[in-house]
Amino acid sequence: MKTNYRGSSPLTRGMIATSSLLALLVSWPGGIAQAQQKTMRVSQAPALLTLNIPAQSLNSAILAFADKAGVQVFYDTARVQGLRSGGARGQFTPEQGLARILTGTGMSYRFTGANSATISAGSPAEANTLEQGGATELKPITVRATSTTSDSFTDMPNPSTVIGSKTPLTQREIPQTISVVTQQKIQQQNVQTLNEALQRAPGVTVLQSDSSRYQYYARGFPIGSIQVDGLPTSTNPNLSQTSSTGAPNLAMYDRVEILDGPAGLYNGFGSPGGVVNLVRKRAPYQFSASTELSVGSSGERKALFDVGGPINPEGTVRGRIVGDVLNGDLVQDGTWKKDRAIFGTIEADLTPQTLLRLGASYSRRTDHDTWVGSPIYSNNTPVGDRSHYFGSDWNKDIYETTDVFASLEHTFDNDWKLQFTGDYSYLKNSILQTDIYTLVDPATDLATIGSGKKDGSESNKSFDVFASGPVELLGRNHQFTIGANYSRMDEHQTTYYGAGGDDFNSQVIDVFDFNYAKPVWLGLPTDTDENRTKTSQFGIYGNTRLSITDPLTVILGGRVTWWRSDFEPDAVYNYDNYDATHDRYDGKFTPYAGVVYKLNETYSAYGSYSSIFQPQTERSSNNAVIDPIEGQQYEVGVKGEYFGGDLVASAALFQINQKNRAVLDPNFPFDAFYVAQGKARTRGIDLRLSGQIADGLTIFGGYTYNNSKYLDADSTDDFGSNFSQIAPTHLFKIWTNYRLPDRLNKWEVGAGLNVTSELYAETRTGRLTQPGYITVDARIAYNVSDKVSIALNGTNIFDRQYFQPASHSVKWGDPAKVMLTLRAKY
């Protein structure tokens, strides 16, 4: 889809967009306009439509309506620039739905056929003139685009999200910092997994815990809350034996939404760093199929298929199936991964106002690698180089996830919506590893190696029900949401210990020359530790968006949460001498407040207050769980929306305070007892820019400044990662992609920059430091036709060597890699 911007040169427009990100103080020049028309073409919709289109830019609302209604809509995007639509929720004929979308905008419409309509400014006669070919100021140029999915936001450069609300809102309507990794960005950057997406998302730091699992951080704190289609799911910070933190394959997801800062209103005891929402792919209204084949320099081979469409002639039942296979080498010589995923979903319009959605997925990942990466010398320098493997040839980790889900939503005639969602997942893992767990002597290259064998499983159940809709009060319309959700995780862990008194089969070895035979674990009740943990959470939440005046919206909300956690140690071989525990919090209230003030048609100012309540696992000397971490975030900022929402920018100031962080009890210096008294604080700046700057030129990126510090030197938390490891003072990420003009318009070029300031970890003998570094990515693509494209992606193209520091090891970053990808649509 082409769009022309008139009134300034491309260089000038780029400079203006950048300045908007950094300051948001200068208005966008009014002369820049989109001058080409857009047409959405989808399959024919039923006579009555169920619309759930939120208030947003008029341009985005028209696209969402066309996608849902199956109507070709002809209009001049320059005429709708800066206009807002009140949206449409409820049951309508196509004519009624389009009329509702245009209410109050000064625009009119005319249906020129059963599945086509024209929008113009002024009276309906003006639209009629266009249809008859008479003189008109619009001079339309029709560009056809096909949108096949039932997700109205899939093709938008800045889609509405549910991550800050149960109903879709534009980024400008949410008083916190938001980023969205769209399907377009996923394909442009050739992203395969969630960790790769978040490594490229502004404001996020990804810490690799071991060969297969990752921790995500923003603003110096963990992102421990993961939603799927807006449903909070259980997450497990026990990184030693669970696969919950494994990065899922993105083949089954359309996009990734990220909210920075606390988000406990809908997630329960939310983590302070933020929340990630994964949006599953939806079943399309008309047949669509695509394939993707990739081959890369690091031994990567990828094959993906994606097929969907109507199942019955009326199109009221639709399905989709996605499959993905990915093999490739990892960083160190001889290490590899195998990733498999399959996903299927069915959607059924039970009535014009009721939608049922069912689905299931299965994924399996196998890795041959080491957990800890490369060891370090006692003088705090890495041992060997990036490619050297310090594990055994029998190392292997296997992670499997099976998931089923269902949702039922109904829209009432008064625009209220009721939705129920449920999800069940079963995860299991098998881990077989060696670990060089001491520092290496630089004079002899000697260190101690050990091994471990672990099995684990989790079953997770999550349910959510909510109602949302408008309420008229004091002559104004307001939006209310009320709901409840429940989650439960049942975790089973089995750890096998060595026989004969050597629990970890330890040996002193030369790290560059050793042959560590695979031990035999007997698996007897006397040398196997099995334990179980059951954690549940139930909450009731409410939220209201009060329209105080036309420009002023006040958001007030709160949640009451009940939390339970029961731990049962092994009855025969309790290796760590744990006691059975039964911990709970009852009726904990967490408030939320925000305000959004519309300065004009382009800019909004906002402020928000978010609370933090995070249970901890550390225990006091009387074996009671210590008090939870508590705190709050304050954020103020400005957001700008340009070109009908195709480009958004934001600037924010934030501060996060925490108290009750775990600190070792000074009365028991040689025992692992804790008291809740540690404090920490982060202050910073977030700048973001995302969308289309000019014809064919897109941008996605931002800059984050973190001033993170412990106000108590001994402060820690359950995740055990210091600010120095996960909160670089400066973090800058940007990606741009440009489709060349005129005769070269089949070609695209892209480039990305990732800049991180210094990271370090305190070891037993000092400090291990990774200086600040820069990596560069690039892309070139050729569009053979509208349905076939070939792309060559390069990551870390200048082969910058860098690592993530830890207390006794480092994890090296990926070397320079290239991947060639062929994509085809049918």
Side-chain angles (χ1 to χ4, degrees):
M1 184 181 299
K2 293 184 181 178
T3 306
N4 289 334
Y5 297 101
R6 297 175 179 169
S8 60
S9 68
L11 177 59
T12 302
R13 291 192 295 272
M15 294 175 63
I16 293 173
T18 304
S19 65
S20 297
L21 170 64
L22 298 177
L24 286 175
L25 298 177
V26 180
S27 297
W28 203 273
I32 300 177
Q34 293 170 296
Q36 288 196 2
Q37 287 192 307
K38 301 179 180 179
T39 302
M40 286 300 248
R41 183 178 61 190
V42 295
S43 63
Q44 184 170 348
L48 289 178
L49 304 170
T50 299
L51 299 180
N52 186 23
I53 300 173
Q56 57 191 287
S57 71
L58 180 56
N59 184 60
S60 297
I62 293 171
L63 295 178
F65 166 80
D67 182 39
K68 181 68 174 178
V71 174
Q72 296 182 19
V73 182
F74 298 83
Y75 65 107
D76 185 344
T77 55
R79 287 294 188 92
V80 303
Q81 182 180 340
L83 298 180
R84 298 281 296 175
S85 169
R89 291 185 173 91
Q91 189 176 12
F92 307 92
T93 65
E95 291 85 353
Q96 292 170 339
L98 187 53
R100 177 67 68 89
I101 291 293
L102 298 177
T103 298
T105 65
M107 306 297 290
S108 64
Y109 73 93
R110 175 181 174 82
F111 268 77
T112 57
N115 296 302
S116 61
T118 298
I119 294 175
S120 65
S123 67
E126 190 172 345
N128 189 39
T129 300
L130 175 61
E131 171 61 16
Q132 294 173 355
T136 175
E137 296 179 6
L138 298 181
K139 299 179 181 178
I141 301 173
T142 302
V143 180
R144 297 186 182 275
T146 302
S147 177
T148 60
T149 179
S150 59
D151 184 345
S152 300
F153 308 111
T154 295
D155 297 325
M156 297 181 183
N158 289 294
S160 297
T161 73
V162 297
I163 197 169
S165 171
K166 284 294 180 180
T167 56
L169 296 174
T170 64
Q171 294 189 35
R172 192 176 168 188
E173 295 173 296
I174 301 172
Q176 287 183 257
T177 300
I178 302 286
S179 295
V180 182
V181 183
T182 64
Q183 186 63 209
Q184 181 188 55
K185 297 166 189 171
I186 289 173
Q187 293 189 12
Q188 286 179 359
Q189 296 183 274
N190 203 33
V191 168
Q192 310 295 336
T193 61
L194 178 61
N195 67 290
E196 292 180 7
L198 295 184
Q199 283 171 344
R200 292 160 175 80
V204 178
T205 300
V206 177
L207 181 66
Q208 189 170 358
S209 306
D210 53 50
S211 60
S212 307
R213 294 172 294 176
Y214 301 82
Q215 299 177 63
Y216 310 125
Y217 292 84
R219 299 180 175 178
F221 297 100
I223 300 176
S225 297
I226 304 293
Q227 297 178 351
V228 181
D229 287 337
L231 174 68
T233 60
S234 298
T235 56
N236 190 343
N238 185 2
L239 297 176
S240 61
Q241 297 188 32
T242 179
S243 61
S244 289
T245 49
N249 188 308
L250 289 185
M252 65 189 74
Y253 300 106
D254 178 70
R255 58 188 177 273
V256 180
E257 303 171 348
I258 307 126
L259 183 146
D260 296 70
L265 179 60
Y266 301 117
N267 295 279
F269 296 148
S271 57
V275 60
V276 171
N277 182 43
L278 299 170
V279 181
R280 293 187 182 100
K281 291 180 176 178
R282 302 288 300 269
Y285 283 111
Q286 61 179 316
F287 176 78
S288 173
S290 64
T291 57
E292 183 177 312
L293 300 174
S294 300
V295 58
S297 60
S298 57
E300 288 188 321
R301 303 291 186 272
K302 175 184 172 67
L304 179 146
F305 72 88
D306 185 345
V307 181
I311 296 176
N312 64 344
E314 297 78 15
T316 56
V317 181
R318 304 167 296 279
R320 187 169 186 171
I321 185 169
V322 181
D324 183 66
V325 176
L326 174 64
N327 297 338
D329 297 333
L330 298 174
V331 175
Q332 296 175 328
D333 289 345
T335 60
W336 48 263
K337 63 181 178 181
K338 295 180 180 179
D339 203 344
R340 309 287 186 267
I342 189 166
F343 163 76
T345 185
I346 292 177
E347 296 186 14
D349 299 322
L350 302 183
T351 73
Q353 295 175 278
T354 306
L355 173 66
L356 173 66
R357 189 179 178 206
L358 305 171
S361 65
Y362 171 79
S363 63
R364 175 187 172 97
R365 175 172 172 140
T366 304
D367 293 326
H368 170 57
D369 198 2
T370 61
W371 260 21
V372 296
S374 298
I376 60 173
Y377 287 116
S378 56
N379 61 7
N380 295 305
T381 58
V383 178
D385 57 28
R386 181 176 57 189
S387 63
H388 198 96
Y389 176 56
F390 292 95
S392 300
D393 57 6
W394 44 265
N395 281 22
K396 182 183 288 187
D397 297 343
I398 301 174
Y399 303 91
E400 293 182 85
T401 301
T402 302
D403 182 81
V404 294
F405 65 92
S407 69
L408 182 67
E409 60 182 77
H410 179 80
T411 304
F412 297 90
D413 291 338
N414 60 359
D415 289 350
W416 271 77
K417 174 184 176 181
L418 177 66
Q419 180 171 321
F420 171 81
T421 306
D423 186 278
Y424 172 80
S425 63
Y426 180 75
L427 304 88
K428 64 178 182 179
N429 59 44
S430 175
I431 296 171
L432 197 59
Q433 282 284 335
T434 54
D435 178 12
I436 297 175
Y437 59 86
T438 64
L439 300 179
V440 180
D441 187 332
T444 63
D445 289 328
L446 296 180
T448 303
I449 193 172
S451 59
K453 175 178 169 59
K454 301 178 181 181
D455 294 325
S457 65
E458 292 176 17
S459 63
N460 296 304
K461 307 176 186 71
S462 301
F463 304 96
D464 182 89
V465 59
F466 74 92
S468 181
V471 172
E472 185 173 343
L473 181 65
L474 301 177
R476 301 191 65 84
N477 285 323
H478 315 277
Q479 190 76 16
F480 281 78
T481 300
I482 187 168
N485 50 33
Y486 170 83
S487 64
R488 171 170 171 156
M489 179 189 70
D490 294 322
E491 178 186 2
H492 180 206
Q493 300 179 6
T494 302
T495 304
Y496 302 89
Y497 293 95
D502 189 353
D503 296 327
F504 301 102
N505 304 291
S506 301
Q507 297 180 22
V508 176
I509 51 109
D510 182 333
V511 297
F512 290 106
D513 184 17
F514 68 92
N515 183 11
Y516 184 76
K518 181 179 178 181
V520 175
W521 290 275
L522 300 178
L524 300 175
T526 53
D527 55 33
T528 302
D529 188 349
E530 296 189 52
N531 57 67
R532 290 173 170 82
T533 303
K534 297 180 180 179
T535 303
S536 63
Q537 185 176 159
F538 172 74
I540 301 172
Y541 56 83
N543 183 39
T544 178
R545 296 180 63 88
L546 299 173
S547 177
I548 306 301
T549 66
D550 286 346
L552 177 63
T553 300
V554 174
I555 303 103
L556 299 174
R559 177 186 176 91
V560 181
T561 304
W562 291 260
W563 178 83
R564 301 283 187 273
S565 182
D566 299 310
F567 172 76
E568 296 294 338
D570 193 295
V572 177
Y573 187 65
N574 185 354
Y575 181 81
D576 291 303
N577 295 316
Y578 286 131
D579 294 321
T581 58
H582 306 279
D583 304 312
R584 60 203 59 213
Y585 297 106
D586 290 320
K588 176 61 183 178
F589 177 70
T590 50
Y592 177 86
V595 59
V596 178
Y597 188 82
K598 183 179 178 181
L599 300 172
N600 52 42
E601 293 300 324
T602 302
Y603 298 109
S604 295
Y606 72 89
S608 63
Y609 165 87
S610 308
S611 56
I612 300 168
F613 187 88
Q614 188 177 12
Q616 303 188 83
T617 60
E618 288 85 357
R619 297 191 169 273
S620 64
S621 57
N622 61 2
N623 198 39
V625 65
I626 63 175
D627 291 339
I629 294 176
E630 296 187 71
Q632 58 282 135
Q633 174 184 266
Y634 303 94
E635 180 174 335
V636 296
V638 179
K639 294 187 179 183
E641 187 178 83
Y642 316 99
F643 313 133
D646 284 352
L647 179 69
V648 296
S650 66
L653 302 174
F654 61 86
Q655 176 169 311
I656 301 177
N657 304 315
Q658 277 193 343
K659 64 178 182 179
N660 295 344
R661 292 169 64 96
V663 174
L664 281 169
D665 190 336
N667 296 319
F668 300 91
F670 303 108
D671 298 297
F673 296 135
Y674 293 84
V675 292
Q677 66 181 31
K679 297 179 180 180
R681 183 190 68 208
T682 290
R683 292 172 174 167
I685 301 170
D686 250 320
L687 306 175
R688 305 287 170 89
L689 185 64
S690 176
Q692 184 167 295
I693 293 180
D695 188 10
L697 178 61
T698 59
I699 189 168
F700 176 59
Y703 165 76
T704 302
Y705 167 76
N706 287 299
N707 181 1
S708 302
K709 62 174 62 177
Y710 297 114
L711 303 182
D712 290 289
D714 297 327
S715 174
T716 185
D717 59 30
D718 292 336
F719 284 79
S721 299
N722 293 320
F723 284 139
S724 57
Q725 291 175 263
I726 48 85
T729 304
H730 305 283
L731 188 61
F732 176 69
K733 303 178 185 180
I734 192 168
W735 171 262
T736 62
N737 193 81
Y738 182 53
R739 185 158 185 168
L740 302 180
D742 303 326
R743 296 182 179 179
L744 298 176
N745 68 350
K746 290 183 177 293
W747 290 92
E748 296 180 38
V749 293
L753 195 67
N754 302 282
V755 183
T756 301
S757 60
E758 179 184 88
L759 301 171
Y760 65 88
E762 299 292 345
T763 72
R764 283 162 269 180
T765 58
R767 176 178 291 185
L768 175 63
T769 300
Q770 167 60 61
Y773 62 91
I774 299 173
T775 63
V776 179
D777 301 336
R779 171 183 189 256
I780 184 170
Y782 181 75
N783 298 284
V784 180
S785 67
D786 291 339
K787 297 183 178 297
V788 179
S789 66
I790 302 173
L792 182 66
N793 282 77
T795 55
N796 190 14
I797 60 175
F798 296 113
D799 200 28
R800 179 68 163 89
Q801 296 197 40
Y802 63 95
F803 57 78
Q804 293 177 339
S807 59
H808 74 287
S809 64
V810 299
K811 274 290 184 181
W812 290 97
D814 286 335
K817 297 193 298 184
V818 295
M819 179 174 279
L820 183 67
T821 301
L822 171 67
R823 293 186 176 94
K825 301 177 183 178
Y826 308 97

